[in-house]
Amino acid sequence: MAQTVNDFKRPVLITAEKLSQDRQRGVIVATGNVRITQGDRTVRADRLIYDERNGQVTAFGNVSIIEPRGEVVFGRRVKLSGDLRDGTIEHFRMLFPDNTRIAATDARRYAGRRTEMAKVVFSPCKLCEEDPTKPNLWRIKARKVIHDGEAQNIEYHDAWMEVYGIPVFYTPILSHPDPTVYSRSGFIVPEIGARKPLGTWIKLPYYWRIGEDSDATLTPLISSQQNPVLFAEYRRRYKKGAAIIAGSHTYARRLDTDVRPILQGQSRGHLFSKIRYDVDSNWRFGANANWTTDDTFLRLYDVSSADSLQSSVWLEGFHNRDYTQLRIHHFQGLREGDNYRATPLVAPYAELERIGSPEQRLGRWHFRFSTANLTRWEGTDSYRASVNLGWRLPYIHKPTGITFAATLDVHADGYYLAESRRPDASQFTGFSNRVYPIAELDIRYPFVRELGNVRAIVEPRISLI
């Protein structure tokens, strides 16, 4: 049965297996699979009493309240206002959409958004299926908790954090976003440490939620023996691509003059970035930029232990079985003896690969062309072009299972070298090339035996090249 009444300018719909109404007292009693709905909030219960004159709803037995944002509140006995926004809940339980749980002895709700709970337990961990009474991996217990549904925030008073039921941390007040929040600006848990030559240090990261598709993290590092450093990382997602830019900056303060080089008063820092964009289903391009001011900065602040940094710009194309790429590479050496004037710039590296469709009796052909140009301020410049043309024909002798594979390949490489130093210390500038064909016949005879759940394969193989 169903009945509709008007309350607070919005209709209230009550459905149940049995409905009775006392018109003189203005009371509706519903029993059996009761459901009362007003707007986007729904209450379910075994039995419900609706007092129209006082604007009060009392629900008993297996009470659940479905909130507009997806949270579900459970209670043993619930008293609510006529608009289902305010009231008290005994034996309070709340389940968030991500299965995070809050439990309390009782709770009171104000204005449909603020819920105050007493003697509370909060945990995102699932209960043990074999023994639900076992403590969670971690949970927070508090004397009082306030959940602000509009601000989507949970605030604890006199809170203990427990790990496997053992208290490990106390705080008089604690606050964090509720589980319905995907991300929010705010400080992240700091990091503290001590090591040479920074001394004692602390990181205070701050997360900045710029928008739905972008965010950033700002992390100042303060140490006892060096000047403060500011680390920053910006992330953005596009409809067809993404960008990540990270960097840092500080002014050097070197106290130990025995360490070389002495960088006191100089700017130090780094820049790492990745950008990718998908033009369409066949083409995409991107860039990776990696740079630092000096050889030791990245290791000093534990950013990277790499002995060189590579930056590149690239374009890739995919068409069925064909592949095309064009790349430019730049390297920054971070070892003591590296000389940037002798470090090559690869501009460009190009590759074109084509693979034919397989034919049953004719096999499959493939073609590959690549070129690489390496230039330096000092030292040898080299230019290379390579061509590979090949064909492969597999064949299986069905009566015996013997497999044959015939392959023909022709490789050709051409080089131009400028100021190349020979073993006798003389220099060579000019062209060089090589051409070599390869013919191969591969014969295999696999023997297979099933041994229960194990398959044993023995395969004698002969290759003639």
Side-chain angles (χ1 to χ4, degrees):
M1 299 178 64
Q3 183 166 343
T4 301
V5 296
N6 291 323
D7 191 12
F8 294 89
K9 299 181 182 181
R10 290 196 301 176
V12 177
L13 177 64
I14 302 175
T15 61
E17 295 176 0
K18 182 179 179 180
L19 280 173
S20 61
Q21 185 176 17
D22 187 337
R23 295 186 181 275
Q24 292 184 350
R25 297 171 55 198
V27 174
I28 298 175
V29 179
T31 57
N33 195 23
V34 183
R35 177 174 177 175
I36 178 170
T37 303
Q38 184 178 53
D40 49 9
R41 184 174 280 106
T42 300
V43 178
R44 294 176 180 270
D46 294 336
R47 185 170 179 266
L48 181 141
I49 300 175
Y50 182 71
D51 189 337
E52 293 184 79
R53 294 179 180 177
N54 297 323
Q56 187 177 76
V57 176
T58 306
F60 308 88
N62 298 315
V63 183
S64 62
I65 306 172
I66 303 174
E67 297 293 323
R69 290 191 307 273
E71 310 101 299
V72 182
V73 174
F74 302 93
R76 184 176 298 165
R77 185 172 183 268
V78 177
K79 288 185 177 181
L80 298 172
S81 58
D83 58 359
L84 310 181
R85 291 167 57 84
D86 303 339
T88 60
I89 304 171
E90 296 180 6
H91 201 66
F92 175 90
R93 302 287 186 274
M94 177 180 281
L95 178 65
F96 290 94
D98 67 342
N99 289 325
T100 297
R101 297 169 172 85
I102 294 182
T105 55
D106 56 75
R108 179 176 292 274
R109 174 167 293 183
Y110 303 91
R113 68 175 182 86
R114 180 184 174 92
T115 305
E116 294 186 1
M117 297 160 270
K119 297 181 180 180
V120 186
V121 178
F122 169 90
S123 179
C125 305
K126 293 183 179 180
L127 297 176
C128 178
E129 296 181 359
E130 298 178 357
D131 184 5
T133 62
K134 291 180 60 177
N136 306 82
L137 173 61
W138 71 271
R139 62 187 180 185
I140 299 175
K141 286 187 174 181
R143 176 183 57 83
K144 178 183 177 182
V145 169
I146 301 173
H147 176 224
D148 191 328
E150 184 175 328
Q152 297 175 280
N153 196 67
I154 300 176
E155 182 179 295
Y156 303 82
H157 296 265
D158 290 334
W160 280 95
M161 175 176 283
E162 295 183 353
V163 177
Y164 289 115
I166 301 175
V168 296
F169 176 76
Y170 168 80
T171 177
I173 190 167
L174 175 67
S175 176
H176 66 76
D178 73 24
T180 62
V181 178
Y182 176 73
S183 62
R184 177 187 292 177
S185 299
F187 285 97
I188 306 174
V189 178
E191 298 180 34
I192 302 175
R195 61 184 175 86
K196 293 182 178 181
L198 297 180
T200 302
W201 57 267
I202 181 172
K203 286 184 178 180
L204 302 170
Y206 180 82
Y207 174 78
W208 179 20
R209 187 176 186 269
I210 302 172
E212 294 291 337
D213 55 1
S214 60
D215 61 10
T217 304
L218 305 175
T219 308
L221 185 150
I222 303 172
S223 61
S224 60
Q225 297 184 11
Q226 298 291 338
N227 286 334
V229 185
L230 177 62
F231 293 88
E233 181 172 296
Y234 172 78
R235 299 165 291 270
R236 179 158 187 176
R237 184 73 178 179
Y238 301 94
K239 185 176 181 180
K240 292 187 176 182
I244 301 176
I245 302 174
S248 63
H249 181 265
T250 185
Y251 284 100
R253 175 190 169 197
R254 174 152 293 172
L255 302 179
D256 189 355
T257 57
D258 294 333
V259 179
R260 295 291 187 267
I262 299 175
L263 301 172
Q264 187 171 0
Q266 296 184 18
S267 292
R268 304 183 74 187
H270 81 286
L271 175 65
F272 290 170
S273 66
K274 293 181 180 180
I275 299 173
R276 170 180 163 175
Y277 184 78
D278 296 335
V279 180
D280 52 35
S281 58
N282 299 115
W283 291 95
R284 67 183 183 185
F285 71 85
N288 302 328
N290 300 292
W291 171 83
T292 183
T293 54
D294 55 83
D295 296 349
T296 61
F297 176 83
L298 299 180
R299 289 188 289 273
L300 173 63
Y301 292 99
D302 201 24
V303 178
S304 172
S305 59
D307 57 10
S308 67
L309 298 179
Q310 177 181 329
S311 301
S312 60
V313 179
W314 50 268
L315 173 68
E316 288 183 316
F318 307 86
H319 299 82
N320 296 325
R321 290 179 294 272
D322 302 337
Y323 175 70
T324 305
Q325 70 164 318
L326 180 67
R327 294 177 179 268
I328 297 176
H329 297 287
H330 175 267
F331 301 92
Q332 180 184 6
L334 302 181
R335 293 171 297 189
E336 184 177 1
D338 287 339
N339 179 6
Y340 80 94
R341 298 185 63 86
T343 302
L345 171 67
V346 183
Y349 172 82
E351 182 178 347
L352 176 66
E353 188 169 3
R354 300 288 184 263
I355 300 177
S357 59
E359 300 292 341
Q360 185 174 3
R361 296 185 177 181
L362 299 178
R364 170 185 285 178
W365 61 269
H366 64 268
F367 171 80
R368 184 174 182 269
F369 170 80
S370 66
T371 180
N373 298 338
L374 279 69
T375 58
R376 298 172 174 85
W377 291 98
E378 297 177 358
T380 303
D381 295 337
S382 64
Y383 308 88
R384 174 189 61 80
S386 300
V387 176
N388 171 231
L389 180 62
W391 168 81
R392 178 180 173 84
L393 176 62
Y395 173 75
I396 300 177
H397 187 251
K398 293 183 178 179
T400 62
I402 300 177
T403 62
F404 301 87
T407 304
L408 294 177
D409 274 295
V410 178
H411 298 265
D413 301 310
Y415 300 88
Y416 176 78
L417 302 177
E419 300 180 2
S420 175
R421 185 174 296 276
R422 291 172 171 171
D424 60 359
S426 62
Q427 289 189 346
F428 169 78
T429 298
F431 290 92
S432 178
N433 61 78
R434 62 179 179 177
V435 177
Y436 58 98
I438 297 177
E440 178 181 358
L441 177 62
D442 188 68
I443 305 172
R444 307 185 186 195
Y445 194 1
F447 296 90
V448 182
R449 167 170 285 188
E450 302 286 349
L451 302 173
N453 295 328
V454 179
R455 172 178 291 182
I457 301 177
V458 178
E459 186 180 52
R461 177 180 178 184
I462 298 175
S463 293
L464 304 177
I465 303 175

PDB file of all heavy atoms in Angstrom, residues 113-138:
ATOM      1  N   ARG A 113      22.587  17.892   7.502  1.00  0.00           N
ATOM      2  CA  ARG A 113      23.970  17.827   7.024  1.00  0.00           C
ATOM      3  C   ARG A 113      24.992  17.600   8.132  1.00  0.00           C
ATOM      4  O   ARG A 113      26.057  17.056   7.891  1.00  0.00           O
ATOM      5  CB  ARG A 113      24.341  19.117   6.286  1.00  0.00           C
ATOM      6  CG  ARG A 113      24.414  20.357   7.174  1.00  0.00           C
ATOM      7  CD  ARG A 113      24.906  21.557   6.415  1.00  0.00           C
ATOM      8  NE  ARG A 113      25.034  22.745   7.253  1.00  0.00           N
ATOM      9  CZ  ARG A 113      26.109  23.023   7.973  1.00  0.00           C
ATOM     10  NH1 ARG A 113      27.135  22.193   7.971  1.00  0.00           N
ATOM     11  NH2 ARG A 113      26.167  24.121   8.696  1.00  0.00           N
ATOM     12  N   ARG A 114      24.686  17.976   9.350  1.00  0.00           N
ATOM     13  CA  ARG A 114      25.641  17.862  10.454  1.00  0.00           C
ATOM     14  C   ARG A 114      25.199  16.753  11.392  1.00  0.00           C
ATOM     15  O   ARG A 114      24.084  16.777  11.929  1.00  0.00           O
ATOM     16  CB  ARG A 114      25.737  19.187  11.204  1.00  0.00           C
ATOM     17  CG  ARG A 114      26.701  19.187  12.383  1.00  0.00           C
ATOM     18  CD  ARG A 114      26.622  20.529  13.101  1.00  0.00           C
ATOM     19  NE  ARG A 114      27.405  20.539  14.319  1.00  0.00           N
ATOM     20  CZ  ARG A 114      28.678  20.925  14.415  1.00  0.00           C
ATOM     21  NH1 ARG A 114      29.296  21.337  13.312  1.00  0.00           N
ATOM     22  NH2 ARG A 114      29.317  20.923  15.562  1.00  0.00           N
ATOM     23  N   THR A 115      26.068  15.776  11.590  1.00  0.00           N
ATOM     24  CA  THR A 115      25.768  14.642  12.463  1.00  0.00           C
ATOM     25  C   THR A 115      26.804  14.577  13.576  1.00  0.00           C
ATOM     26  O   THR A 115      28.004  14.520  13.313  1.00  0.00           O
ATOM     27  CB  THR A 115      25.784  13.318  11.678  1.00  0.00           C
ATOM     28  OG1 THR A 115      24.880  13.403  10.572  1.00  0.00           O
ATOM     29  CG2 THR A 115      25.378  12.159  12.567  1.00  0.00           C
ATOM     30  N   GLU A 116      26.321  14.597  14.823  1.00  0.00           N
ATOM     31  CA  GLU A 116      27.201  14.490  15.988  1.00  0.00           C
ATOM     32  C   GLU A 116      27.037  13.098  16.582  1.00  0.00           C
ATOM     33  O   GLU A 116      25.917  12.667  16.879  1.00  0.00           O
ATOM     34  CB  GLU A 116      26.868  15.562  17.019  1.00  0.00           C
ATOM     35  CG  GLU A 116      27.153  16.973  16.537  1.00  0.00           C
ATOM     36  CD  GLU A 116      26.964  18.008  17.624  1.00  0.00           C
ATOM     37  OE1 GLU A 116      26.629  17.606  18.764  1.00  0.00           O
ATOM     38  OE2 GLU A 116      27.153  19.208  17.342  1.00  0.00           O
ATOM     39  N   MET A 117      28.165  12.396  16.777  1.00  0.00           N
ATOM     40  CA  MET A 117      28.163  11.011  17.251  1.00  0.00           C
ATOM     41  C   MET A 117      28.955  10.887  18.549  1.00  0.00           C
ATOM     42  O   MET A 117      29.910  11.641  18.767  1.00  0.00           O
ATOM     43  CB  MET A 117      28.772  10.090  16.187  1.00  0.00           C
ATOM     44  CG  MET A 117      27.986  10.037  14.888  1.00  0.00           C
ATOM     45  SD  MET A 117      28.999   9.444  13.498  1.00  0.00           S
ATOM     46  CE  MET A 117      29.667  10.996  12.873  1.00  0.00           C
ATOM     47  N   ALA A 118      28.575   9.919  19.367  1.00  0.00           N
ATOM     48  CA  ALA A 118      29.263   9.674  20.641  1.00  0.00           C
ATOM     49  C   ALA A 118      29.847   8.267  20.649  1.00  0.00           C
ATOM     50  O   ALA A 118      29.228   7.330  20.148  1.00  0.00           O
ATOM     51  CB  ALA A 118      28.297   9.850  21.808  1.00  0.00           C
ATOM     52  N   LYS A 119      31.051   8.148  21.248  1.00  0.00           N
ATOM     53  CA  LYS A 119      31.756   6.863  21.357  1.00  0.00           C
ATOM     54  C   LYS A 119      31.821   6.195  19.976  1.00  0.00           C
ATOM     55  O   LYS A 119      31.108   5.238  19.685  1.00  0.00           O
ATOM     56  CB  LYS A 119      31.076   5.950  22.369  1.00  0.00           C
ATOM     57  CG  LYS A 119      31.094   6.496  23.791  1.00  0.00           C
ATOM     58  CD  LYS A 119      30.432   5.546  24.770  1.00  0.00           C
ATOM     59  CE  LYS A 119      30.463   6.114  26.187  1.00  0.00           C
ATOM     60  NZ  LYS A 119      29.823   5.212  27.163  1.00  0.00           N
ATOM     61  N   VAL A 120      32.737   6.710  19.166  1.00  0.00           N
ATOM     62  CA  VAL A 120      32.750   6.407  17.728  1.00  0.00           C
ATOM     63  C   VAL A 120      33.953   5.556  17.364  1.00  0.00           C
ATOM     64  O   VAL A 120      35.033   5.668  17.956  1.00  0.00           O
ATOM     65  CB  VAL A 120      32.775   7.722  16.915  1.00  0.00           C
ATOM     66  CG1 VAL A 120      32.632   7.437  15.427  1.00  0.00           C
ATOM     67  CG2 VAL A 120      31.671   8.649  17.380  1.00  0.00           C
ATOM     68  N   VAL A 121      33.759   4.696  16.350  1.00  0.00           N
ATOM     69  CA  VAL A 121      34.839   3.930  15.725  1.00  0.00           C
ATOM     70  C   VAL A 121      34.767   4.179  14.216  1.00  0.00           C
ATOM     71  O   VAL A 121      33.693   4.022  13.613  1.00  0.00           O
ATOM     72  CB  VAL A 121      34.729   2.424  16.008  1.00  0.00           C
ATOM     73  CG1 VAL A 121      35.845   1.665  15.293  1.00  0.00           C
ATOM     74  CG2 VAL A 121      34.779   2.157  17.505  1.00  0.00           C
ATOM     75  N   PHE A 122      35.898   4.575  13.629  1.00  0.00           N
ATOM     76  CA  PHE A 122      35.980   4.815  12.182  1.00  0.00           C
ATOM     77  C   PHE A 122      37.060   3.921  11.593  1.00  0.00           C
ATOM     78  O   PHE A 122      38.159   3.816  12.145  1.00  0.00           O
ATOM     79  CB  PHE A 122      36.332   6.277  11.894  1.00  0.00           C
ATOM     80  CG  PHE A 122      36.700   6.557  10.457  1.00  0.00           C
ATOM     81  CD1 PHE A 122      35.726   6.912   9.539  1.00  0.00           C
ATOM     82  CD2 PHE A 122      38.023   6.467  10.021  1.00  0.00           C
ATOM     83  CE1 PHE A 122      36.062   7.174   8.217  1.00  0.00           C
ATOM     84  CE2 PHE A 122      38.365   6.721   8.705  1.00  0.00           C
ATOM     85  CZ  PHE A 122      37.380   7.073   7.801  1.00  0.00           C
ATOM     86  N   SER A 123      36.778   3.269  10.453  1.00  0.00           N
ATOM     87  CA  SER A 123      37.791   2.447   9.788  1.00  0.00           C
ATOM     88  C   SER A 123      37.420   2.242   8.318  1.00  0.00           C
ATOM     89  O   SER A 123      36.262   1.977   8.000  1.00  0.00           O
ATOM     90  CB  SER A 123      37.939   1.086  10.462  1.00  0.00           C
ATOM     91  OG  SER A 123      38.913   0.293   9.783  1.00  0.00           O
ATOM     92  N   PRO A 124      38.406   2.346   7.418  1.00  0.00           N
ATOM     93  CA  PRO A 124      38.172   2.021   6.003  1.00  0.00           C
ATOM     94  C   PRO A 124      38.427   0.548   5.700  1.00  0.00           C
ATOM     95  O   PRO A 124      38.227   0.105   4.566  1.00  0.00           O
ATOM     96  CB  PRO A 124      39.194   2.898   5.280  1.00  0.00           C
ATOM     97  CG  PRO A 124      40.341   2.969   6.239  1.00  0.00           C
ATOM     98  CD  PRO A 124      39.747   2.931   7.622  1.00  0.00           C
ATOM     99  N   CYS A 125      38.882  -0.228   6.694  1.00  0.00           N
ATOM    100  CA  CYS A 125      39.249  -1.627   6.473  1.00  0.00           C
ATOM    101  C   CYS A 125      38.020  -2.528   6.617  1.00  0.00           C
ATOM    102  O   CYS A 125      37.172  -2.322   7.480  1.00  0.00           O
ATOM    103  CB  CYS A 125      40.323  -2.068   7.478  1.00  0.00           C
ATOM    104  SG  CYS A 125      41.795  -1.020   7.465  1.00  0.00           S
ATOM    105  N   LYS A 126      37.965  -3.549   5.780  1.00  0.00           N
ATOM    106  CA  LYS A 126      36.876  -4.510   5.852  1.00  0.00           C
ATOM    107  C   LYS A 126      37.044  -5.407   7.078  1.00  0.00           C
ATOM    108  O   LYS A 126      38.155  -5.680   7.524  1.00  0.00           O
ATOM    109  CB  LYS A 126      36.838  -5.369   4.586  1.00  0.00           C
ATOM    110  CG  LYS A 126      36.472  -4.595   3.329  1.00  0.00           C
ATOM    111  CD  LYS A 126      36.394  -5.527   2.140  1.00  0.00           C
ATOM    112  CE  LYS A 126      36.011  -4.774   0.872  1.00  0.00           C
ATOM    113  NZ  LYS A 126      35.936  -5.676  -0.300  1.00  0.00           N
ATOM    114  N   LEU A 127      35.917  -5.883   7.604  1.00  0.00           N
ATOM    115  CA  LEU A 127      35.959  -6.815   8.725  1.00  0.00           C
ATOM    116  C   LEU A 127      36.395  -8.196   8.249  1.00  0.00           C
ATOM    117  O   LEU A 127      36.191  -8.569   7.094  1.00  0.00           O
ATOM    118  CB  LEU A 127      34.578  -6.912   9.372  1.00  0.00           C
ATOM    119  CG  LEU A 127      34.030  -5.626   9.996  1.00  0.00           C
ATOM    120  CD1 LEU A 127      32.618  -5.856  10.500  1.00  0.00           C
ATOM    121  CD2 LEU A 127      34.927  -5.144  11.113  1.00  0.00           C
ATOM    122  N   CYS A 128      37.030  -8.928   9.146  1.00  0.00           N
ATOM    123  CA  CYS A 128      37.464 -10.287   8.828  1.00  0.00           C
ATOM    124  C   CYS A 128      36.239 -11.165   8.596  1.00  0.00           C
ATOM    125  O   CYS A 128      35.333 -11.224   9.447  1.00  0.00           O
ATOM    126  CB  CYS A 128      38.328 -10.845   9.959  1.00  0.00           C
ATOM    127  SG  CYS A 128      38.868 -12.540   9.700  1.00  0.00           S
ATOM    128  N   GLU A 129      36.187 -11.842   7.437  1.00  0.00           N
ATOM    129  CA  GLU A 129      35.028 -12.672   7.128  1.00  0.00           C
ATOM    130  C   GLU A 129      34.918 -13.863   8.072  1.00  0.00           C
ATOM    131  O   GLU A 129      33.808 -14.263   8.445  1.00  0.00           O
ATOM    132  CB  GLU A 129      35.103 -13.150   5.675  1.00  0.00           C
ATOM    133  CG  GLU A 129      35.020 -12.020   4.663  1.00  0.00           C
ATOM    134  CD  GLU A 129      35.065 -12.533   3.240  1.00  0.00           C
ATOM    135  OE1 GLU A 129      35.182 -13.770   3.062  1.00  0.00           O
ATOM    136  OE2 GLU A 129      34.989 -11.709   2.312  1.00  0.00           O
ATOM    137  N   GLU A 130      36.041 -14.430   8.468  1.00  0.00           N
ATOM    138  CA  GLU A 130      36.014 -15.588   9.353  1.00  0.00           C
ATOM    139  C   GLU A 130      35.644 -15.202  10.786  1.00  0.00           C
ATOM    140  O   GLU A 130      34.946 -15.953  11.470  1.00  0.00           O
ATOM    141  CB  GLU A 130      37.371 -16.292   9.324  1.00  0.00           C
ATOM    142  CG  GLU A 130      37.756 -16.833   7.941  1.00  0.00           C
ATOM    143  CD  GLU A 130      39.121 -17.483   7.960  1.00  0.00           C
ATOM    144  OE1 GLU A 130      39.780 -17.454   9.021  1.00  0.00           O
ATOM    145  OE2 GLU A 130      39.539 -18.013   6.901  1.00  0.00           O
ATOM    146  N   ASP A 131      36.113 -14.050  11.242  1.00  0.00           N
ATOM    147  CA  ASP A 131      35.829 -13.611  12.599  1.00  0.00           C
ATOM    148  C   ASP A 131      35.623 -12.097  12.597  1.00  0.00           C
ATOM    149  O   ASP A 131      36.570 -11.317  12.758  1.00  0.00           O
ATOM    150  CB  ASP A 131      36.968 -13.981  13.543  1.00  0.00           C
ATOM    151  CG  ASP A 131      36.651 -13.629  15.001  1.00  0.00           C
ATOM    152  OD1 ASP A 131      35.511 -13.193  15.268  1.00  0.00           O
ATOM    153  OD2 ASP A 131      37.544 -13.794  15.855  1.00  0.00           O
ATOM    154  N   PRO A 132      34.373 -11.622  12.391  1.00  0.00           N
ATOM    155  CA  PRO A 132      34.122 -10.175  12.320  1.00  0.00           C
ATOM    156  C   PRO A 132      34.455  -9.429  13.606  1.00  0.00           C
ATOM    157  O   PRO A 132      34.555  -8.205  13.591  1.00  0.00           O
ATOM    158  CB  PRO A 132      32.616 -10.102  12.012  1.00  0.00           C
ATOM    159  CG  PRO A 132      32.269 -11.437  11.438  1.00  0.00           C
ATOM    160  CD  PRO A 132      33.173 -12.412  12.116  1.00  0.00           C
ATOM    161  N   THR A 133      34.615 -10.136  14.712  1.00  0.00           N
ATOM    162  CA  THR A 133      34.933  -9.467  15.976  1.00  0.00           C
ATOM    163  C   THR A 133      36.410  -9.101  16.095  1.00  0.00           C
ATOM    164  O   THR A 133      36.786  -8.346  16.993  1.00  0.00           O
ATOM    165  CB  THR A 133      34.542 -10.368  17.168  1.00  0.00           C
ATOM    166  OG1 THR A 133      35.307 -11.589  17.108  1.00  0.00           O
ATOM    167  CG2 THR A 133      33.060 -10.705  17.119  1.00  0.00           C
ATOM    168  N   LYS A 134      37.269  -9.620  15.211  1.00  0.00           N
ATOM    169  CA  LYS A 134      38.693  -9.297  15.264  1.00  0.00           C
ATOM    170  C   LYS A 134      38.909  -7.832  14.916  1.00  0.00           C
ATOM    171  O   LYS A 134      38.201  -7.276  14.077  1.00  0.00           O
ATOM    172  CB  LYS A 134      39.478 -10.183  14.283  1.00  0.00           C
ATOM    173  CG  LYS A 134      39.540 -11.647  14.683  1.00  0.00           C
ATOM    174  CD  LYS A 134      40.336 -12.451  13.659  1.00  0.00           C
ATOM    175  CE  LYS A 134      41.767 -11.948  13.521  1.00  0.00           C
ATOM    176  NZ  LYS A 134      42.543 -12.782  12.590  1.00  0.00           N
ATOM    177  N   PRO A 135      39.886  -7.164  15.545  1.00  0.00           N
ATOM    178  CA  PRO A 135      40.139  -5.747  15.244  1.00  0.00           C
ATOM    179  C   PRO A 135      40.580  -5.560  13.792  1.00  0.00           C
ATOM    180  O   PRO A 135      41.195  -6.431  13.183  1.00  0.00           O
ATOM    181  CB  PRO A 135      41.279  -5.386  16.214  1.00  0.00           C
ATOM    182  CG  PRO A 135      41.230  -6.424  17.282  1.00  0.00           C
ATOM    183  CD  PRO A 135      40.741  -7.672  16.626  1.00  0.00           C
ATOM    184  N   ASN A 136      40.250  -4.372  13.242  1.00  0.00           N
ATOM    185  CA  ASN A 136      40.677  -4.028  11.890  1.00  0.00           C
ATOM    186  C   ASN A 136      42.185  -3.820  11.857  1.00  0.00           C
ATOM    187  O   ASN A 136      42.854  -3.708  12.870  1.00  0.00           O
ATOM    188  CB  ASN A 136      39.990  -2.746  11.431  1.00  0.00           C
ATOM    189  CG  ASN A 136      38.480  -2.813  11.560  1.00  0.00           C
ATOM    190  OD1 ASN A 136      37.962  -2.593  12.638  1.00  0.00           O
ATOM    191  ND2 ASN A 136      37.805  -3.116  10.477  1.00  0.00           N
ATOM    192  N   LEU A 137      42.706  -3.753  10.620  1.00  0.00           N
ATOM    193  CA  LEU A 137      44.126  -3.428  10.469  1.00  0.00           C
ATOM    194  C   LEU A 137      44.434  -2.114  11.162  1.00  0.00           C
ATOM    195  O   LEU A 137      45.403  -1.994  11.916  1.00  0.00           O
ATOM    196  CB  LEU A 137      44.493  -3.347   8.986  1.00  0.00           C
ATOM    197  CG  LEU A 137      45.904  -2.848   8.660  1.00  0.00           C
ATOM    198  CD1 LEU A 137      46.939  -3.784   9.256  1.00  0.00           C
ATOM    199  CD2 LEU A 137      46.089  -2.698   7.166  1.00  0.00           C
ATOM    200  N   TRP A 138      43.622  -1.100  10.900  1.00  0.00           N
ATOM    201  CA  TRP A 138      43.742   0.151  11.664  1.00  0.00           C
ATOM    202  C   TRP A 138      42.372   0.810  11.762  1.00  0.00           C
ATOM    203  O   TRP A 138      41.516   0.638  10.906  1.00  0.00           O
ATOM    204  CB  TRP A 138      44.763   1.106  11.058  1.00  0.00           C
ATOM    205  CG  TRP A 138      44.358   1.739   9.762  1.00  0.00           C
ATOM    206  CD1 TRP A 138      44.573   1.263   8.503  1.00  0.00           C
ATOM    207  CD2 TRP A 138      43.662   2.990   9.602  1.00  0.00           C
ATOM    208  NE1 TRP A 138      44.054   2.113   7.578  1.00  0.00           N
ATOM    209  CE2 TRP A 138      43.491   3.199   8.221  1.00  0.00           C
ATOM    210  CE3 TRP A 138      43.161   3.945  10.485  1.00  0.00           C
ATOM    211  CZ2 TRP A 138      42.855   4.312   7.699  1.00  0.00           C
ATOM    212  CZ3 TRP A 138      42.522   5.074   9.974  1.00  0.00           C
ATOM    213  CH2 TRP A 138      42.385   5.254   8.598  1.00  0.00           C
TER     214      TRP A 138
END
